Amino acid sequence: DTGVSQDPRHKITKRGQNVTFRCDPISEHNRLYWYRQTLGQGPEFLTYFQNEAQLEKSRLLSDRFSAERPKGSFSTLEIQRTEQGDSAMYLCASTSPGPNYEQYFGPGTRLTVT
Amino acid sequence: AQTVTQSQPEMSVQEAETVTLSCTYDTSESDYYLFWYKQPPSRQMILVIRQEAYKQQNATENRFSVNFQKAAKSFSLKISDSQLGDAAMYFCAYTTTDSWGKLQFGAGTQVVVTP
């Protein structure tokens, strides 16, 4: 069990560019979550996958954001036409099947939009 | 809408002493889970302790314990015998069984441990 991993750990991009982040959950975990955390705040829910199905999206996830989880394994989060307001830490978490709500978090991807 | 409130932006404690972090939440649900997560500087978030709402007994994990007051919608965390490694941001979080397990977090409390 290597834990939840995220790549890259840091990303600096210019406004208007597209960026993509990757999350690899713990192998047997079928549920995967994305959160966004801005400085001094708690994480905010963005979207949720159960296996390959995206079951919920927050209203925070504008049309510029898209997430996928092909084959129910790793997940990607893409932000198109980045804006300075997108600068944040993007966290991924996963949970095992069953009535277990303990989420295991990755180290996050820190995005800076200049 | 459910909300989670942590009213203490920062708490300071001396090594070996005890500190209590407060958390209140607002919900109309009867079946839910509460968590305390720890986020050390530049490190990933880890679960400290969890509490199921249907359980009356307060959860404990070694030096960490909670005081769960369901009627008051209060969920405080007590850290006993504080250690330097306890220094971190602590987040209170909430989820319901019918919300896919998505967590709602408070704004966090920064715990500073002094020697």
Side-chain angles (χ1 to χ4, degrees), chain B residues 10-14 17-19 21 109-114:
Chain B
E10 183 174 304
M11 294 288 283
S12 185
V13 61
Q14 283 192 316
E17 297 297 309
T18 295
V19 64
L21 312 184
T109 297
Q110 182 71 49
V111 171
V112 177
V113 183
T114 56

Side-chain angles (χ1 to χ4, degrees), chain B residues 8-28:
Chain B
Q8 306 153 316
E10 183 174 304
M11 294 288 283
S12 185
V13 61
Q14 283 192 316
E15 268 187 296
E17 297 297 309
T18 295
V19 64
T20 299
L21 312 184
S22 66
C23 172
T24 58
Y25 57 95
D26 184 24
T27 184
S28 57

